[in-house]
Each structure stands twice: as C-alpha cells, then as structure tokens.
C-alpha cells in the first residue's frame, strides 16, 4: 500500500507545475468576476479549494473553502464586501510573506458573521 | 473488482472511469489512480462523455464529482443505477466532492454511491476506500421508495423499533411465545457443570 501511495504522490508531483499555474489562473478569473457572479465564483472557488489542497497550497485551499461557505449562505452571497475580502485574501495568500494565520482567522470571523446555519465540515462521510 | 484471499486488490486490469468537470482535477485524479497501478483509465468532463464510455466499456470503478456543467451528476448516477446497462449499472461508485452544500450531502447518501469522500484528494484515503470497496459484501438493493444501489445499512441491527422492516430477511421485533417447555433447575445445573474432557 505504501508503494502505491508513494507512486500516487509522484504522479501528483508530475502535474504540480501546470496545476499550480491553473490555480493562479482561476484566482485571476474570480478576481475579475468579483461579487457579480456568485454562482460562477462558487464553482471556481470550489475548484481552487480542491486543486490547491492537492498541491499542498493549504492556506489558499482554506481561503477558497471559506469563500464557498460564504457563498452557500444566502446572506453571504448577498454581501459584495465579504466576497471582496475573500478574493483579496486569495490573491494575498499566493505571496510567500503573507500572514496566513491572521488572514484565515479574519475570513473565519466573516463567515461566522454571515452564516445562515453551521456548514458541514470537510471530513469524510460514510454512506 | 474483488479482493483476493490476501486482501490485495489488483487494479492493473481494472477499467476505471473518472468524471469531473475540471480538467485539472481530472489530471490529479488520473495520476493518483495510475499510481495505484490502474492501466485502463477513462476520463469524462461531462455526462455525455461519461455515457459514451459506459456504452462501450465494462467499467470496474467509477469516481465522480457530481458537480458537472452539462447536467446533474446525482441524476446521472441515479439513472445509471436504474438502467439495464449491465454490468456498469452495478459498478462501485466513489463520489468525491469539494465543498458540499447541505442538500447535496443528503442527495449523495440517496444516489446509489458506494462511498462519499471529500476533496482535496488524498491518495491514502482514496486507496483505503478502493480496498474497502473490494472487500464490500453489501447486497445491491432496489427500494420501492426510489433508492437503488448498495445497501445503505453497514450494520444489521434489525428493522427500526415499531416497524416490520422492508426486507424479506428482516426479522420481526416481536419475540413471540415459547416453542418448548422451560428447562428445569437440574437441566440448567447440568449444562453449567464443568465436564472433564479427555483429548
């Protein structure tokens, strides 16, 4: 099993460069869309969450997940300011010197303020 | 995709269909599945491509993110389960999802998938689930209320209290009357008394 997992990680490493470039393109795309297209922004941020996470960009992935949580609440999707803060956070977190902990704590506070109800945690669920 | 006696699953001969709207997510998934040894990997970014593959190849495992652009992945999966496209309608399905809205979690449970895991993809988790599916003995059920897929009950603890159950092998919760006379004290003592056994 360890060999198979190691080979899988090697396979991900092979596509990492192209994948990270694609994540950056998607961040640029949602910065252009802004708060005007919440459904398209939700779809793209969901892709950023998944792909950045697979390439070990944990902070970017967490910020994208936070944006998904915000956009899946009615109040959050209707708040251009809260969406704009998330978009700026995504851009900032791509810089090496970004204070990731402070930024993510701020995003958590925003999502908590706009939440309709508790969101499902990103954990495994057995059917 | 059965496990052999040693519990190992050989994916070299398995035909695996990956369905995800994002090409980059498909790249990641394909690399992981190939890393596990699968040599026959099919990719689809929409329902139409997935259906084309399912109509020409016998698939051993489907991994799908239901958030597809040209249609609803849950509806696609439900239609596959109810189709007569054998053996593909019985293929194990791992449903993967990024952020899930609350309604989607309930739909995922009822859509006939074998397992639901969340992105980002972690090779260890995906491999564990594939191995688990290889050992899965749950029967495939079709319920009049609409569900069609692997039995959602992982443990058999009888039907819910106050109901007679929906399966032929569901036992009634009523104990009923005694089928034979009660044992006497002597008979019980004899059963409990240690016996010398010569081997």
């Amino acid at each position: 099993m360890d060999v198979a997992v190691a080979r899988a990680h090697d396979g991900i490493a092979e596509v990492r460069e192209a994948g990270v470039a694609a994540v950056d393109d998607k961040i640029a795309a949602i910065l252009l869309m802004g708060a005007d297209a919440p459904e398209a922004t939700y779809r793209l941020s969901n892709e950023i969450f998944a792909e950045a996470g697979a390439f070990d960009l944990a902070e970017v992935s967490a910020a994208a997940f936070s944006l998904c949580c915000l956009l899946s609440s009615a109040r959050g999707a209707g708040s251009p300011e809260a969406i704009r803060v998330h978009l700026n956070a995504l851009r900032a977190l791509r810089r090496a010197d970004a204070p990731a902990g402070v930024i993510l704590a701020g995003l958590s506070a925003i999502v908590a303020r706009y939440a309709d109800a508790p969101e499902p945690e990103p954990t495994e669920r057995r059917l | 995709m059965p496990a052999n006696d040693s519990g190992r699953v050989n994916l070299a001969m398995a035909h695996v269909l990956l369905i995800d709207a994002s090409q980059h997510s498909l790249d990641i998934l394909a690399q992981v599945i190939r890393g596990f040894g699968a040599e026959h990997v099919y990719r689809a970014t929409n329902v139409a491509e997935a259906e084309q593959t399912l109509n020409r190849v016998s698939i051993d495992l489907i991994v799908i993110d239901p958030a597809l652009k040209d249609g609803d992945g849950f509806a696609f999966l439900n239609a596959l389960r109810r189709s007569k496209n054998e053996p593909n309608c019985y293929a194990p399905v791992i449903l993967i999802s990024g952020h899930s809205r609350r309604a989607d979690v309930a739909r995922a449970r009822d859509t006939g998938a074998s397992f639901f895991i969340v992105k980002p993809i972690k090779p260890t988790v995906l491999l564990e689930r594939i191995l688990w599916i290889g050992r899965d003995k749950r029967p495939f059920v079709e319920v009049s209320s609409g569900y069609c897929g692997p039995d959602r009950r992982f443990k058999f603890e009888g039907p819910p209290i106050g109901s007679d159950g929906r399966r032929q092998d569901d036992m009634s919760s009523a104990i009923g009357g005694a089928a034979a006379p009660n044992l006497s004290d002597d008979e019980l003592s004899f059963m409990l008394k240690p016996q010398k056994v010569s081997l």
Side-chain angles (χ1 to χ4, degrees):
Chain A
M1 184 164 162
D2 291 345
V3 175
V5 170
R7 281 203 310 249
H9 281 292
D10 290 345
I12 293 174
E14 283 175 24
V15 296
R16 189 179 193 280
E17 192 176 336
V20 171
V23 167
D24 286 335
D25 289 346
K26 288 174 184 180
I27 291 173
I30 55 172
L31 282 166
L32 283 176
M33 282 191 289
D36 299 333
E39 195 53 40
T41 301
Y42 175 83
R43 185 175 54 75
L44 267 183
S45 61
N46 215 345
E47 290 182 9
I48 293 167
F49 158 63
E51 293 161 22
F55 295 126
D56 295 328
L57 303 174
E59 291 85 5
V60 173
S61 179
F65 186 82
S66 180
L67 180 53
C68 289
C69 292
L70 181 76
L71 291 169
S72 63
S73 77
R75 292 178 60 217
S79 170
E81 300 83 9
I83 295 172
R84 177 57 58 189
V85 170
H86 276 77
L87 298 180
N88 290 337
L90 279 170
R91 181 169 50 192
L93 286 167
R94 285 298 289 132
R95 294 203 316 261
D97 59 346
V102 174
I103 292 173
L104 293 176
L107 297 184
S108 288
I110 291 173
V111 170
R113 194 183 312 153
Y114 285 93
D116 293 332
E119 272 295 311
E121 290 293 317
T123 53
E124 188 178 324
R125 290 178 191 86
R126 204 166 71 161
L127 296 179
Chain B
M1 197 182 57
N4 63 19
D5 292 342
S6 66
R8 295 167 72 98
V9 173
N10 184 358
L11 288 179
M13 301 301 290
H15 292 251
V16 183
L17 173 58
L18 311 176
I19 309 168
D20 195 305
S22 164
Q23 283 286 0
H24 301 103
S25 286
L26 272 181
D27 287 342
I28 296 165
L29 208 45
Q31 291 293 91
V32 171
I33 292 288
R34 287 202 183 95
F36 295 162
E39 293 170 10
H40 308 283
V41 180
Y42 306 87
R43 302 162 54 128
T45 56
N46 55 51
V47 169
E49 287 176 8
E51 285 176 341
Q52 278 178 11
T53 303
L54 288 166
N55 287 334
R56 65 183 171 83
V57 185
S58 289
I59 295 295
D60 300 294
L61 173 67
I62 298 172
V63 184
I64 178 174
D65 183 333
L68 299 173
K69 287 172 191 162
D70 69 333
D72 182 345
F74 293 118
F76 159 76
L77 195 51
N78 220 310
L80 172 67
R81 286 297 191 221
R82 295 196 163 275
S83 74
K84 303 296 177 198
N85 184 357
E86 295 185 14
N88 289 340
C89 60
Y90 301 116
V93 174
I94 295 178
L95 210 146
I96 53 168
S97 171
H99 176 273
S100 297
R101 285 168 167 149
R102 189 174 297 255
D104 289 342
V105 176
R107 291 185 74 193
R109 187 193 61 216
D110 297 334
T111 204
S114 310
F115 237 107
F116 180 29
I117 60 178
V118 296
K119 291 179 175 178
I121 293 294
K122 295 180 182 69
T124 309
V125 173
L126 186 58
L127 184 56
E128 279 175 356
R129 296 301 158 248
I130 290 172
L131 294 172
W132 190 92
I133 283 174
R135 295 189 294 264
D136 188 13
K137 298 283 194 291
R138 285 180 300 163
F140 206 87
V141 297
E142 186 169 352
V143 184
S144 57
S145 59
Y147 177 77
C148 184
D151 194 341
R152 287 171 292 185
R153 293 189 299 194
F154 279 76
K155 292 188 288 186
F156 182 72
E157 294 176 333
I161 294 170
S163 94
D164 293 331
R166 298 178 299 180
R167 313 269 159 77
Q168 285 182 338
D169 58 350
D170 276 338
M171 290 185 291
S172 168
S173 54
I175 297 172
N182 290 341
L183 293 173
S184 67
D185 277 351
D186 288 346
E187 287 171 318
L188 287 169
S189 298
F190 179 76
M191 289 171 72
L192 296 172
K193 186 177 171 186
Q195 302 287 314
K196 185 182 273 186
V197 177
S198 58
L199 298 175

